[in-house]
């Protein structure tokens, strides 16, 4: 697990409303999950790439969520709020 890789990922804005932006310095074929506090995955993408990725939050209820990004380089989990 590469902590430097995890720290090179920027997830913003927080709180988010219409979209969530994820900047990833390096990697490929990363999986993204937006997980509600009840443990249910509400958004899943299996094709994040290095660079800027945008996740549409239309239809996502307000509240706290966990962003979970996984790749062969490691895992990053961060709490975000949708408003």
């Amino acid at each position: 697990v590469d902590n430097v890789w995890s720290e090179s990922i920027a997830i913003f804005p927080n709180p988010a409303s219409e979209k969530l932006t994820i900047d990833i310095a390096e990697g490929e074929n990363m999986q993204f999950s937006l997980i509600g506090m009840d443990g249910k995955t509400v958004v899943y993408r299996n094709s994040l790439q290095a660079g800027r990725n945008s996740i549409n939050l239309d239809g996502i209820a307000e509240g706290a969520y966990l962003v979970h990004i996984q790749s062969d380089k490691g895992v990053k989990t961060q709490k975000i709020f949708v408003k």
Side-chain angles (χ1 to χ4, degrees):
V1 176
D2 186 346
N3 287 334
V4 173
W5 174 81
S6 176
E7 293 171 5
S8 73
I9 298 174
I11 301 169
F12 59 93
N14 191 7
S17 55
E18 296 173 7
K19 72 176 182 174
L20 186 65
T21 301
I22 303 166
D23 281 348
I24 303 173
E26 62 176 311
E28 57 186 35
N29 299 322
M30 291 164 275
Q31 289 121 17
F32 166 90
S33 300
L34 185 65
I35 304 166
M37 291 296 120
D38 59 1
K40 293 182 181 172
T41 300
V42 294
V43 178
Y44 177 79
R45 300 281 185 274
N46 65 355
S47 58
L48 291 189
Q49 301 294 329
R52 181 157 286 186
N53 297 268
S54 184
I55 306 294
N56 187 341
L57 298 177
D58 284 345
I60 303 297
E62 289 187 8
Y65 294 86
L66 291 176
V67 169
H68 183 82
I69 301 171
Q70 183 170 354
S71 83
D72 59 346
K73 294 187 176 288
V75 174
K76 179 176 179 89
T77 302
Q78 180 176 319
K79 189 174 189 179
I80 65 145
F81 296 91
V82 175
K83 63 174 184 169

